Amino acid sequence: MDNKLIVTAAPHITSADTTQKIMQRVCIALVPTLIASVLVFGINALILTAITVAACVIFEAGYCKMVGREIPVGDFSAVVTGMLLAFNLPATMPWWMAVVGAFIAIVIVKQLFGGLGYNFANPAIVARISLAVGFASRMANYPIPNSGVDALASATPLAVPAELGASEYVTLLLGNHGGVLGETCALTILIGGIYLICTKVISPMIPVTYLGTVAVLSVCFGLDPIVQLLSGGLMLGAFFMATDYVTSPTTEKGKLIFGISLGVITMVIRRFGTMNEGVSFAILLMNLLVPYIDVLTRQDKLGIAKKSKKEAAK
C-alpha cells in the first residue's frame, strides 16, 4: 500500500512548468520584436541577435565546464539573456562589443554570483549600462531605418519630443524610427507582453503599475504620455526585464511598490536628467532594493499573533 503521508521539504505545491518551458515562452514572446527589428533595420539586426545569443550560450557552457558545474544551457536562460542583450543594442553595434556585453551579462553578473537564481540584477541590463559607459558613441549611434546608415543619437524619439505629435504615434507604434532593436516597434513588444501574461509567465502587476506611473507623471510634467509610453526602452523594460523572477519582488505589495518606483525613477531621469532614457538605471537601482522590499512586504506567519506595540518596543 502506498504511503499517503509524505513529508518533504518545501515547496509542497508543484507545477508542470519548468525553467526551460518558461524561458522558451519568453523566447517566443520576443520573436515578433525580432522580426520587426529585421524589417526595420535589415539583416544586421538578425546577425547581431545571433551573435549575442551564441556568445551567451558559449560563455555559460564554457564557464560552467571550467568550474565543474552542471552545464545549464538547456534551460534557455542564456538564450533569453542573449536576445534581451541584442534588443538593448543598435543594429550597427560592432560584433566584438556585443560579445563583451555577453561576457559581462553571463560570466560577471550571472555565473560569478552562483548562476541562475543568484544574480543580483538583470544581466542584460547591467551589460547594457556597461556598454553605454564603455562605448558611449557606438551605443548612441542609431541606424536610419531600412538604410543601414549611421545616424546621430538625436534620431531616437526621446531626444526630440517637441517634434512629435499625434501624426507620429503610428510611427512610434510600428517602430519605423531610430533606436536600439527593442526600442522601436512598441506594438510587437506589447503583443509579446500580453502573451506572457496570458500564459501566466509574468504577473501584470509590475508592467501595469510601471506604465501607469509613467503615464501619470508624464501628464504632471507636461509631457505627452503616449510619446513617453511608446518611446525608448520602456515597453521592453516593463514586460521583459522588470518582471525577471530572480530580480523582482515575490509579494504582491512588493510588486506594486516596485512598479511605481520604477515609473518614478524613469520619469525623473527623463525629465530632469542629462540622459534621454532612464529605464535601464531605474531597473538596476530597483533590482538592488528587491531583497529589502521582500522583507518589508512579506506576509505574517500563519498561527503567530502579532506583537503589540509595547512588546515590539522592548
Side-chain angles (χ1 to χ4, degrees):
M1 183 175 180
D2 294 336
N3 183 9
K4 295 184 179 181
L5 183 61
I6 300 175
V7 180
T8 62
H12 302 289
I13 300 176
T14 59
S15 169
D17 287 335
T18 62
T19 300
Q20 183 186 62
K21 290 181 180 179
I22 291 172
M23 293 300 169
Q24 286 175 345
R25 289 173 190 162
V26 176
C27 290
I28 293 172
L30 289 170
V31 168
T33 302
L34 176 60
I35 295 173
S37 67
V38 174
L39 294 176
V40 172
F41 298 115
I43 194 64
N44 280 350
L46 182 61
I47 295 173
L48 182 65
T49 304
I51 288 173
T52 55
V53 169
C56 285
V57 171
I58 291 171
F59 281 136
E60 180 154 275
Y63 181 87
C64 290
K65 186 174 182 179
M66 182 179 67
V67 300
R69 290 183 192 164
E70 181 181 354
I71 299 176
V73 171
D75 63 13
F76 277 76
S77 62
V79 175
V80 170
T81 299
M83 294 185 72
L84 289 176
L85 174 59
F87 287 6
N88 279 277
L89 304 176
T92 53
M93 193 74 173
W95 69 266
W96 67 269
M97 292 184 185
V99 172
V100 171
F103 178 83
I104 294 171
I106 294 297
V107 177
I108 296 180
V109 181
K110 184 180 178 182
Q111 291 300 333
L112 286 180
F113 284 87
L116 183 65
Y118 297 95
N119 45 286
F120 67 94
N122 187 291
I125 283 290
V126 178
R128 171 178 175 151
I129 293 175
S130 300
L131 292 176
V133 173
F135 309 106
S137 61
R138 296 303 306 186
M139 284 290 288
N141 201 10
Y142 307 130
I144 297 173
N146 300 312
S147 69
V149 179
D150 289 353
L152 296 176
S154 59
T156 177
L158 279 176
V160 285
E163 299 177 12
L164 299 176
S167 61
E168 281 77 23
Y169 292 160
V170 175
T171 299
L172 291 174
L173 191 63
L174 298 181
N176 191 28
H177 56 79
V180 301
L181 303 188
E183 288 181 356
T184 50
C185 189
L187 179 61
T188 55
I189 298 174
L190 186 60
I191 291 173
I194 293 174
Y195 168 78
L196 292 181
I197 293 173
C198 291
T199 55
K200 297 184 179 181
V201 173
I202 65 173
S203 164
M205 178 66 77
I206 291 175
V208 169
T209 53
Y210 190 179
L211 297 176
T213 303
V214 168
V216 171
L217 290 180
S218 297
V219 175
C220 295
F221 292 155
L223 303 173
D224 189 329
I226 298 179
V227 171
Q228 294 299 317
L229 289 172
L230 299 182
S231 301
L234 181 61
M235 287 288 183
L236 181 68
F239 287 106
F240 290 95
M241 308 187 83
T243 55
D244 178 29
Y245 288 176
V246 181
T247 57
S248 62
T250 57
T251 64
E252 289 302 310
K253 289 182 181 178
K255 291 176 182 177
L256 179 64
I257 295 172
F258 187 74
I260 293 174
S261 300
L262 286 172
V264 171
I265 296 171
T266 298
M267 287 309 300
V268 167
I269 293 176
R270 284 186 175 185
R271 178 62 179 84
F272 302 105
T274 57
M275 297 175 296
N276 299 317
E277 184 59 286
V279 173
S280 297
F281 291 97
I283 294 177
L284 176 59
L285 177 59
M286 292 310 300
N287 282 168
L288 299 177
L289 297 178
V290 164
Y292 305 101
I293 294 175
D294 275 338
V295 170
L296 294 174
T297 60
R298 62 188 176 188
Q299 67 181 33
D300 296 326
K301 296 178 181 178
L302 296 176
I304 299 178
K306 293 183 179 179
K307 291 183 177 180
S308 64
K309 293 183 179 179
K310 292 183 178 179
E311 292 176 337
K314 292 180 179 180

